[in-house]
Amino acid sequence: MDVRPIRGFFTLPWGKSRFYIVFMKPLLGELYHIYNRGNQKQSIFLNEENYYHFLDKMNEHLVPHVDLLSWTLMPNHFHFLIHANEQTIKILEGRVLPITQLSDGMRKLQSSYTQAFNSWYEKSGNLFHQKYKHKIIGPDVLRQGRNTFHYVHSNPVTAGLVKRMRDWKFSSYSEYLYPEKKGMCNQDMAMELLELDRMSILFPTI
């Protein structure tokens, strides 16, 4: 992930020593592909209730802090395409170590869902492979952004879960298919930044 370092001294509450740390943050206005999978490739969604619970957590912990452009949830992984806005890069105050709204939101999203999942199925330990992965879109932002946007929506078809993108319930394709229904994506921004219209979204050529 191409990021900008923040450098500074921080004092830990349990001691007087100070140390030097380099903290990375996303860049304002950039597009990022965020993704993660289940630990050891295990399934993270076992039924529709699981998917809907994760969507609720996305609405609570992710959507308020990013411009979400596209997303999909798969049985053992997920993909988000986001635009970094002022909230995304905001550094939270009152923390021992600096953390952005994006990192904190993703941490809360995954940890809260993991707690629920482990409670439902009487499990323990990590559900996800790691905190999450992220890639900046570029240097050809328009081409790579479009490709990533369509890649996210086509994942269920590529994986053989459905024959048509519209048949997969758990992606933002349905938000663009039925724009009159309130969704999580900033559709206007996606179409402006990626120079897309509704036809090219619903019938992509990639």
Side-chain angles (χ1 to χ4, degrees):
M1 178 180 181
D2 290 340
V3 289
R4 177 158 50 93
I6 301 174
R7 303 172 185 273
F9 286 96
F10 302 91
T11 302
L12 294 176
W14 53 83
K16 296 182 179 179
S17 62
R18 297 160 73 87
F19 65 96
Y20 193 69
I21 187 170
V22 177
F23 174 69
M24 309 305 251
K25 62 177 284 190
L27 296 172
L28 179 65
E30 297 288 356
L31 303 186
Y32 292 93
H33 178 198
I34 296 177
Y35 54 100
N36 205 356
R37 60 178 172 84
N39 194 26
Q40 298 182 340
K41 300 183 180 181
Q42 68 174 303
S43 294
I44 56 177
F45 306 112
L46 302 184
N47 55 41
E48 290 196 356
E49 180 184 357
N50 296 166
Y51 285 101
Y52 287 122
H53 187 77
F54 191 87
L55 291 174
D56 287 341
K57 294 302 179 183
M58 284 176 60
N59 258 318
E60 181 178 356
H61 298 303
L62 178 68
V63 175
H65 309 306
V66 303
D67 295 309
L68 187 60
L69 305 183
S70 66
W71 59 269
T72 193
L73 308 183
M74 300 285 284
N76 69 349
H77 65 280
F78 62 77
H79 294 277
F80 307 145
L81 177 62
I82 71 159
H83 168 263
N85 58 32
E86 293 283 356
Q87 281 296 313
T88 311
I89 68 171
K90 181 180 178 182
I91 304 296
L92 300 181
E93 298 179 356
R95 304 297 180 95
V96 174
L97 298 179
I99 186 172
T100 62
Q101 283 278 19
L102 172 60
S103 294
D104 190 58
M106 287 299 299
R107 177 187 63 80
K108 289 178 178 177
L109 167 61
Q110 294 190 157
S111 64
S112 61
Y113 180 76
T114 297
Q115 290 174 7
F117 187 93
N118 286 348
S119 176
W120 294 330
Y121 301 108
E122 298 182 345
K123 294 180 179 291
S124 61
N126 295 329
L127 176 62
F128 294 97
H129 177 61
Q130 53 193 1
K131 64 173 189 176
Y132 62 92
K133 290 184 177 181
H134 32 34
K135 293 181 179 178
I136 194 170
I137 302 299
D140 185 345
V141 176
L142 182 59
R143 181 181 62 82
Q144 292 178 240
R146 282 179 175 177
N147 287 345
T148 303
F149 180 92
H150 295 312
Y151 167 80
V152 168
H153 285 163
S154 64
N155 234 239
V157 176
T158 303
L161 298 174
V162 291
K163 292 185 177 180
R164 303 179 303 174
M165 289 183 287
R166 68 173 61 201
D167 295 331
W168 186 248
K169 293 182 180 180
F170 305 107
S171 85
S172 54
Y173 184 86
S174 60
E175 295 185 29
Y176 291 93
L177 183 62
Y178 304 108
E180 67 278 4
K181 295 183 179 180
K182 182 175 175 57
M184 295 188 292
C185 288
N186 188 332
Q187 297 186 36
D188 291 339
M189 177 172 285
M191 289 188 281
E192 179 180 352
L193 291 178
L194 302 177
E195 298 181 8
L196 294 167
D197 56 31
R198 208 161 295 283
M199 288 300 292
S200 61
I201 291 173
L202 299 182
F203 306 100
T205 54
I206 55 174

